[in-house]
Amino acid sequence: MQLYVAFKKELENSPKIVYIEYMGRLLIISNRLPISVTRRADKVNFQASVGGLATGLASFRDSHQSQWIGWPGIAKDKLSPQQQDQIVDRLGEHNCHSVFLSAKDVRNFYYGFCNKTVWPLFHYFPLYTVYEEQYWKAYRNVNNAFCETIIKIAKPRDYIWVHDYQLMLLPELIREKLPDAQIGFFLHIPFPSFELFRLLPWRKEIIKGLLGADLIGFHTYDYMRHFLSSTARIAGAEHSMGSLAVDDRIVRVDAFPMGIDYDRYATAIEKSTVKKRLATVKKKVGDRKIIVSIDRLDYTKGILQRLEAFDLFLSQNPKYKEKVTLILVAVPSRTGVEDYAELRRQLESLVGRINGEHGTLGWVPVWYLYRFLPFEGVTALYNAADVALVTPLRDGMNLIAKEFIATKRDGKGVLILSEMAGAASELGEAITVNSHHKQEIIDAIKEALEMPVKEQIELNRLMQSRLCRYTVTRWANDFLEGLADVKKTQAELSVHKLTKSVREQLVAEYSRSMKRLFLLDYDGTLVGFADRPGKAGPDEKLWYLLQALVAEAQNEVVIISGRDKETLSYWLGDTNSSLIAEHGAWIKAKDKEWEVIEPLRNDWKDTIRPILELYADRTPGSSVEEKDFSLVWHYRKADSELASLRIQELRDAVLNLTENLDIGVFEGSKILEVKNIGISKGHAAERWMAKDKWDFIFVAGDDYTDEDMFSILPESAYSIKVGYGISKARFNLDSVYELRSLLEQLIENEKIRSYHVKT
Ligand code: G6P
């Protein structure tokens, strides 16, 4: 912890320092490498990829001895073996490693699943979304190919940071191969609401894939919220303050709004190349006002809608004719996808119409450039602009908006920003618009063109001060620090894990002892959870396991459950173990009949039952179970968000009615139970322990009702919680499977021992 504090301090004093000592190397994994390869006239060319991640992490990379793994941007089939070697060598010099993809993979993975399935769906364009089995197959294959490359490179202390929607299966694939790896995942696009995400036929696999990471990051709290809601509904994994228990790991989910390399943009104007380009633009435009619009040519960016608004702006405000120029830069992108080609056609015809209708001999209202602009060109335009029009229909973050503000050294200029961009939550001083509301954009353009300079400067300074603090370096540090934190929490929890040596000691004590008591919870401990409680009966293996355990003369086996006595008798009566039902209300010692532990009232049930039934009717998927001394509201199959709301209402309603009775309301695993306060597994366990002088006590459980047992045990008892989380049990085991295998080991050991004794 001290290290983190020291590190944080250092970071605050110098936002440039970037070495996190507690980690090994940083492996950055993204679809695109920071260097792109193209082929022209049979020759391969290398050029630096631009884009937030590659440029932003440039300074960061050196200090972390980072390695970057990704696709070089060209299909393998187009390259000779010599060219492939050339690429490997050249990229290797920059610590980059290529994952080569075939032309078919590029078609089905990149153009297919990435850009025709995930991209449109996650940006709320379900009608553009294509669901194709072969795309999905390619997506799986390519994620696997990335995994293979990574495991060849990764070393134990490395931090593996996977980026973006092209690689959502990768965290789990890496986890399978390297169970202890530190894996982070960051999504650069929006995570849609469950209503959209559920449309994806492979939604379960995607959620599972992402949950292989230790830390999952999003740009905004909204995306994080949507993801958590989908994990709860699809994988049944509920979070607590952004942490989820996945198998034996804690996974954290958090928001980290990505920043930019602030200084690079703020000082751009000092470059002579930028000054020169700026002068050229100014000279060409004259004293007209300039509005800039720069995007990848993508339907999510709202370029057509923006142009239509500019068209109407000119019609509604004739005084601005010949007084304003819109410079519209569309950077070619994903040209192999038909929707993008169609968008280009529509855009060009719209630009033509606007220029034709409004233009004059000396004035072209829209300057349209369909090309990639280098850093100098972009920053010259930002500097020249009076207004930046950034109105995506949906955008994960949008760094253009941030770059524009950072570039404005003199503070002059106005940003019009869509509220559908992630950046809107940080740039509250911009003029925000609903990008679907044309009149709002028109009014915003007018307001921006007429905003007093003093106000422009005031607003921009506020945004600048925020952006220069939370830079891309800071963002990356924050993320990696978060990842280190999760690993620390995981390590703390695993301290209680039943280690090999404790296990050996437990087995040895078992063998030595003569009077052994087993108190075993049933659901979640001996069997996993089922959709419907009635479906969780014992399988054959468990049945034999219990029989074998009971068969040892020294063993007393007690199943201690919240279930009703009829179910327990039906399922486990033949195993010859003793049974405790309804959390201790009923007891059935081996070979005896059921008896109540003490006289209990249940006349309160008539008052409470109608309330629970009302809630069951109002909450689809939930139901009421009646036991002799308790009433239970089950909601495992209900919508988790609705259920959590209902639970609070229900608890209040029941507590109001039971104030003067010995009745309590208890929350368990997807249940809310109303029962007599005096009843608990703890009391029942105490009674059983008092029955004899046990020299070996073994207690296993998984939820809060079992904590009552754990808390009354003598120190020497072996108490085991199945699963993770804070517990009074001395040890944790990962799963039902592990607990069963421990019990099997005890029996096996016994067999071997008695064999030796006999021979
Ligand atoms: C978005 C995505 C990136 C992607 C970039 C360019 O920003 O989040 O992952 O690399 O667009 O798209 P492209 O398809 O050219 O890689």
Side-chain angles (χ1 to χ4, degrees), residues 31-32 110 115 119 164-166 188-189 296 333-334:
N31 182 48
R32 288 206 183 260
Y110 175 69
N115 291 325
W119 180 269
D164 228 358
Y165 65 102
Q166 301 91 346
H188 291 260
I189 65 173
R296 263 189 324 102
S333 175
R334 302 172 194 169

Side-chain angles (χ1 to χ4, degrees), residues 30-32 50-53 71 110-111 114-115 119 123 163-166 187-190 219 296 298 301 332-334 340 395-396 399:
S30 66
N31 182 48
R32 288 206 183 260
V50 278
L53 195 63
W71 172 52
Y110 175 69
Y111 287 112
C114 294
N115 291 325
W119 180 269
H123 284 89
H163 289 267
D164 228 358
Y165 65 102
Q166 301 91 346
L187 188 73
H188 291 260
I189 65 173
H219 283 304
R296 263 189 324 102
D298 195 297
K301 304 288 181 185
S333 175
R334 302 172 194 169
Y340 288 70
D395 207 334
L399 297 177

Side-chain angles (χ1 to χ4, degrees), residues 403-696:
E403 291 166 9
F404 172 75
I405 296 294
T407 307
K408 292 299 198 181
R409 271 281 271 276
D410 58 8
K412 291 185 210 156
V414 181
L415 171 65
I416 300 175
L417 180 60
S418 160
E419 59 192 54
M420 311 303 169
S425 38
E426 289 166 85
L427 301 176
E429 291 79 9
I431 303 180
T432 46
V433 292
N434 172 349
S435 46
H436 293 271
H437 193 329
K438 269 190 211 112
Q439 191 58 46
E440 227 176 78
I441 304 182
I442 297 166
D443 295 344
I445 297 178
K446 189 157 181 290
E447 186 187 339
L449 290 171
E450 291 167 10
M451 186 184 283
V453 170
K454 194 165 160 269
E455 193 179 337
Q456 295 178 18
I457 298 175
E458 257 169 35
L459 297 174
N460 287 337
R461 292 288 181 238
L462 286 170
M463 290 190 272
Q464 286 173 339
S465 65
R466 217 170 294 135
L467 293 179
C468 76
R469 279 197 306 272
Y470 207 79
T471 61
V472 65
T473 307
R474 181 78 186 273
W475 165 80
N477 271 315
D478 239 16
F479 184 90
L480 294 174
E481 200 184 334
L483 183 51
D485 258 344
V486 190
K487 291 315 276 187
K488 210 169 128 246
T489 311
Q490 287 175 357
E492 276 161 11
L493 285 175
S494 70
V495 167
H496 303 289
K497 209 167 168 173
L498 191 81
T499 56
K500 200 163 161 251
S501 65
V502 179
R503 196 179 172 120
E504 279 164 10
Q505 184 192 328
L506 185 153
V507 174
E509 270 189 43
Y510 173 85
S511 302
R512 278 199 302 273
S513 52
M514 301 308 291
K515 280 204 173 298
R516 310 165 184 145
L517 175 62
F518 286 84
L519 294 169
L520 306 174
D521 166 52
Y522 184 73
D523 292 89
T525 304
L526 291 174
V527 294
F529 286 104
D531 279 357
R532 272 182 291 123
K535 275 168 54 186
D539 48 278
E540 216 173 318
K541 256 187 155 171
L542 175 62
W543 200 82
Y544 282 115
L545 173 65
L546 289 175
Q547 280 230 317
L549 207 57
V550 174
E552 297 301 328
Q554 299 95 320
N555 293 357
E556 169 89 14
V557 180
V558 185
I559 307 294
I560 183 160
S561 163
R563 295 255 179 190
D564 63 68
K565 64 184 193 310
E566 286 74 22
T567 309
L568 285 188
S569 299
Y570 179 61
W571 281 348
L572 303 163
D574 290 351
T575 57
N576 239 347
S577 45
S578 299
L579 305 174
I580 295 181
E582 292 195 30
H583 301 114
W586 289 99
I587 289 187
K588 182 187 177 306
K590 193 164 61 175
D591 305 327
K592 292 218 175 112
E593 290 306 311
W594 285 101
E595 53 176 326
V596 276
I597 205 162
E598 57 191 63
L600 292 169
R601 291 177 57 178
N602 60 10
D603 48 355
W604 52 269
K605 280 165 63 181
D606 290 341
T607 320
I608 302 299
R609 190 184 304 105
I611 301 176
L612 295 196
E613 281 170 352
L614 175 70
Y615 274 79
D617 291 341
R618 288 177 58 205
T619 318
S622 72
S623 58
V624 179
E625 182 193 6
E626 179 152 357
K627 303 185 202 171
D628 291 333
F629 298 105
S630 72
L631 288 169
V632 194
W633 184 60
H634 288 267
Y635 59 90
R636 183 162 295 278
K637 287 189 77 187
D639 178 288
S640 55
E641 279 169 27
L642 177 62
S644 68
L645 191 77
R646 290 281 187 261
I647 269 207
Q648 299 184 24
E649 297 169 7
L650 184 54
R651 197 192 304 108
D652 289 349
V654 175
L655 283 176
N656 264 336
L657 289 168
T658 54
E659 241 166 14
N660 302 319
L661 304 170
D662 279 345
I663 303 300
V665 184
F666 303 88
E667 262 185 64
S669 176
K670 305 276 184 185
I671 58 151
L672 186 116
E673 181 150 13
V674 188
K675 64 178 167 95
N676 288 272
I677 282 174
I679 298 296
S680 83
K681 286 187 179 178
H683 285 156
E686 257 173 342
R687 277 173 76 117
W688 223 287
M689 287 196 310
K691 279 188 174 186
D692 215 327
K693 276 195 156 356
W694 311 103
D695 55 0
F696 178 86

